Amino acid sequence: MEPEDLDLLYEIENDTALWDVGTTNVPYSRYALHDYVAHASNDIYADRQVRFMIDNEQEETIGIMDMVNFNPKHQRAELGIVIMNKFRGLGYGQAALREVVKYAQSVLHLHQLYVIVDAENKASIQLFQEQGFEQGAILKQWLYDGQKYHDALFLQTFL
């Protein structure tokens, strides 16, 4: 991440529509995000996470790929991805996911990557399954959207 990414990061982190599919449930101030960008080491071993900004051919930043819950002992990490609405369905998610999987395999030497996806989020499920992720479990009533609970799928791939 670069300081220039602050506006997009602020927009994504404070998009309440995305809170239902992740673990965030409070807004972040611009100051808090600025501080995060300034102090993140971008070293997955130190931070136990790393964020990749997704750029298109025109060098527009169109999304974020997170690698979190990194566990070096068990050689695994959890992934998350957000592509801005107007860029969805254009193959950017697939391209970014391919690159992160290659990085996880060839640089970090991870054994597995996993995601937790709302069972109703067909687009995300398809994205990960097309990259070789397989369903490992159904997590009953795992996600709460403020009105009802949703099942989630635990998808994983071995590298």
Side-chain angles (χ1 to χ4, degrees), residues 77 79 94 97 101 111-117 124-139 152-159:
L79 295 179
Q94 281 288 350
L97 184 55
V101 168
H111 174 63
Q112 68 178 295
L113 294 170
Y114 67 94
V115 294
I116 297 173
V117 180
S124 287
I125 293 167
Q126 181 179 351
L127 168 73
F128 289 102
Q129 287 179 333
E130 287 177 359
Q131 189 62 41
F133 284 68
E134 297 178 358
Q135 183 177 320
I138 298 174
L139 304 169
L153 301 181
F154 180 88
L155 305 169
Q156 67 192 125
T157 189
F158 296 97
L159 308 175

Side-chain angles (χ1 to χ4, degrees), residues 27-75:
Y28 286 94
S29 69
R30 192 171 293 281
Y31 175 81
L33 293 172
H34 179 272
D35 191 56
Y36 171 76
V37 171
H39 293 98
S41 70
N42 291 321
D43 178 349
I44 194 166
Y45 289 94
D47 298 339
R48 295 295 193 246
Q49 66 177 345
V50 66
R51 284 193 153 165
F52 302 99
M53 305 310 288
I54 302 168
D55 292 346
N56 65 11
E57 299 86 3
Q58 290 75 37
E59 297 185 14
E60 299 170 287
T61 302
I62 60 158
I64 299 175
M65 174 79 74
D66 293 330
M67 186 179 291
V68 298
N69 297 325
F70 171 65
N71 187 312
K73 177 180 179 182
H74 298 295
Q75 297 176 303

